[in-house]
Coordinates of all heavy atoms in Angstrom, one line a residue:
P1 N 84.2 102.7 116.5 CA 83.7 101.5 117.2 C 84.6 100.5 117.6 O 85.2 99.9 116.6 CB 82.6 101.1 116.3 CG 82.9 101.6 114.9 CD 83.7 102.8 115.1
P2 N 84.8 100.0 118.7 CA 85.7 98.9 119.1 C 85.3 97.6 118.4 O 86.1 96.7 118.2 CB 85.6 98.7 120.4 CG 85.0 100.2 121.1 CD 84.1 100.7 119.9
E3 N 84.0 97.5 118.0 CA 83.7 96.2 117.4 C 84.3 96.0 116.1 O 84.4 94.9 115.6 CB 82.1 96.2 117.1 CG 81.3 96.3 118.5 CD 81.1 97.6 119.0 OE1 81.6 98.6 118.5 OE2 80.7 97.7 120.3
V4 N 84.8 96.9 115.5 CA 85.4 96.8 114.2 C 86.9 96.1 114.3 O 87.4 95.5 113.4 CB 85.7 98.2 113.5 CG1 86.5 98.1 112.3 CG2 84.3 98.9 113.3
I5 N 87.4 96.1 115.5 CA 88.6 95.5 115.8 C 88.7 93.9 115.3 O 89.6 93.5 114.8 CB 89.1 95.7 117.2 CG1 89.3 97.1 117.6 CG2 90.3 94.8 117.6 CD1 89.5 97.3 119.1
A6 N 87.6 93.2 115.6 CA 87.6 91.8 115.4 C 87.5 91.6 113.7 O 88.3 90.8 113.2 CB 86.3 91.2 115.9
E7 N 87.0 92.5 113.1 CA 86.9 92.5 111.7 C 88.4 92.8 111.1 O 88.8 92.1 110.1 CB 85.9 93.5 111.0 CG 85.8 93.5 109.6 CD 84.7 94.4 109.0 OE1 84.1 95.0 109.7 OE2 84.8 94.5 107.8
M8 N 89.1 93.8 111.7 CA 90.3 94.2 111.3 C 91.3 92.9 111.4 O 92.1 92.6 110.6 CB 91.0 95.4 112.1 CG 90.4 96.6 111.9 SD 91.1 98.0 112.8 CE 90.5 99.4 112.0
L9 N 91.3 92.2 112.6 CA 92.1 91.1 112.9 C 91.8 90.0 111.8 O 92.7 89.4 111.3 CB 91.9 90.6 114.3 CG 92.9 89.4 114.7 CD1 94.2 89.8 114.7 CD2 92.5 89.1 116.1
D10 N 90.5 89.7 111.5 CA 90.2 88.7 110.5 C 90.8 89.1 109.3 O 91.2 88.1 108.5 CB 88.7 88.6 110.5 CG 88.2 87.6 109.4 OD1 88.5 86.4 109.8 OD2 87.6 88.0 108.5
V11 N 90.7 90.4 108.8 CA 91.2 90.7 107.5 C 92.7 90.7 107.5 O 93.3 90.1 106.4 CB 90.8 92.3 107.2 CG1 91.6 92.8 105.9 CG2 89.4 92.4 106.9
G12 N 93.4 91.0 108.6 CA 95.0 90.9 108.6 C 95.4 89.5 108.5 O 96.2 89.2 107.7
R13 N 94.6 88.6 109.2 CA 95.0 87.2 109.1 C 94.6 86.4 107.7 O 95.5 85.7 107.3 CB 94.2 86.3 110.2 CG 94.7 86.6 111.6 CD 93.8 86.0 112.6 NE 94.3 86.0 114.0 CZ 93.6 85.5 115.0 NH1 92.3 85.1 114.9 NH2 94.1 85.5 116.3
R14 N 93.6 86.8 107.2 CA 93.1 86.3 106.0 C 93.8 86.7 104.7 O 94.4 86.0 104.0 CB 91.6 86.5 105.7 CG 91.0 85.9 104.5 CD 89.5 86.1 104.4 NE 89.2 87.4 104.1 CZ 88.6 88.2 105.0 NH1 88.4 88.0 106.3 NH2 88.5 89.5 104.7
E15 N 94.2 88.1 104.7 CA 94.8 88.7 103.6 C 96.3 88.9 103.7 O 97.0 89.2 102.8 CB 94.1 89.9 103.2 CG 92.7 89.9 102.9 CD 92.1 91.3 102.5 OE1 92.8 92.0 102.0 OE2 90.9 91.4 102.5
R16 N 96.8 88.5 104.9 CA 98.2 88.5 105.2 C 98.7 89.9 104.8 O 99.8 90.0 104.1 CB 99.0 87.4 104.5 CG 98.4 86.0 104.8 CD 99.0 84.9 104.0 NE 100.5 84.7 104.3 CZ 100.9 84.1 105.3 NH1 100.1 83.4 106.1 NH2 102.3 83.9 105.6
V17 N 98.2 90.9 105.4 CA 98.7 92.3 105.1 C 99.3 92.8 106.5 O 99.0 92.2 107.5 CB 97.7 93.2 104.6 CG1 97.2 92.7 103.2 CG2 96.5 93.3 105.6
D18 N 100.1 93.9 106.4 CA 100.7 94.4 107.5 C 99.9 95.4 108.1 O 100.0 95.8 109.4 CB 102.0 95.0 107.1 CG 103.0 93.9 107.0 OD1 103.5 93.4 108.0 OD2 103.5 93.6 105.9
V19 N 99.0 96.2 107.5 CA 98.3 97.4 107.9 C 96.8 97.3 107.5 O 96.6 97.0 106.3 CB 98.9 98.8 107.4 CG1 98.2 99.9 108.1 CG2 100.4 98.8 107.7
I20 N 95.9 97.5 108.4 CA 94.5 97.5 108.1 C 94.0 98.9 108.7 O 93.9 99.2 109.8 CB 93.8 96.3 108.9 CG1 94.4 95.1 108.4 CG2 92.3 96.5 108.5 CD1 95.4 94.4 109.3
Y21 N 93.6 99.7 107.7 CA 93.1 101.0 108.0 C 91.7 101.1 108.3 O 90.9 100.4 107.6 CB 93.3 102.0 106.9 CG 94.9 102.3 106.4 CD1 95.5 101.6 105.5 CD2 95.6 103.1 107.3 CE1 96.8 101.8 105.2 CE2 97.0 103.3 107.0 CZ 97.5 102.7 105.9 OH 98.8 102.9 105.6
G22 N 91.2 101.8 109.3 CA 89.9 102.1 109.6 C 89.4 103.2 108.8 O 89.8 104.3 109.1
V23 N 88.6 103.1 107.8 CA 88.1 104.2 106.9 C 86.7 104.6 107.3 O 85.9 103.7 107.4 CB 88.3 103.8 105.4 CG1 87.8 104.9 104.6 CG2 89.7 103.4 105.1
R24 N 86.6 105.9 107.5 CA 85.3 106.4 107.9 C 84.4 106.5 106.6 O 84.5 107.6 105.8 CB 85.5 107.8 108.5 CG 86.3 107.7 109.8 CD 86.9 108.9 110.1 NE 87.9 108.8 111.2 CZ 88.7 109.9 111.6 NH1 88.7 111.0 110.9 NH2 89.4 109.8 112.7
T25 N 83.5 105.7 106.4 CA 82.6 105.8 105.1 C 81.4 106.6 105.3 O 80.8 107.0 104.4 CB 82.2 104.3 104.8 OG1 81.5 103.7 105.9 CG2 83.3 103.4 104.4
D26 N 81.1 106.9 106.6 CA 79.9 107.7 107.0 C 80.4 108.7 108.1 O 80.6 108.3 109.3 CB 78.8 106.9 107.5 CG 77.5 107.8 107.7 OD1 77.8 109.0 107.6 OD2 76.4 107.2 107.9
R27 N 80.6 110.0 107.8 CA 81.0 111.0 108.7 C 79.9 112.0 108.9 O 80.1 113.2 109.2 CB 82.2 111.7 108.2 CG 83.4 110.8 107.9 CD 84.7 111.6 107.7 NE 85.1 112.3 108.9 CZ 86.2 112.9 109.0 NH1 87.1 112.7 108.2 NH2 86.5 113.6 110.1
S28 N 78.5 111.6 108.7 CA 77.5 112.5 109.0 C 77.4 113.0 110.4 O 76.7 114.2 110.5 CB 76.2 111.7 108.7 OG 76.0 110.5 109.4

């Protein structure tokens, strides 16, 4: 989902990390 991009950017800025992985928690 493209909507997760905003959350990724927020995590990257807040936690000052270099990589934010999108992890599939539900693959049903």
Side-chain angles (χ1 to χ4, degrees):
E3 293 78 10
V4 178
I5 294 176
E7 185 179 356
M8 287 180 167
L9 184 59
D10 180 64
V11 170
R13 287 170 167 174
R14 185 178 66 251
E15 300 187 15
R16 302 175 68 83
V17 293
D18 285 286
V19 184
I20 303 93
Y21 296 101
V23 177
R24 304 155 182 170
T25 56
D26 184 350
R27 301 192 62 167
S28 57

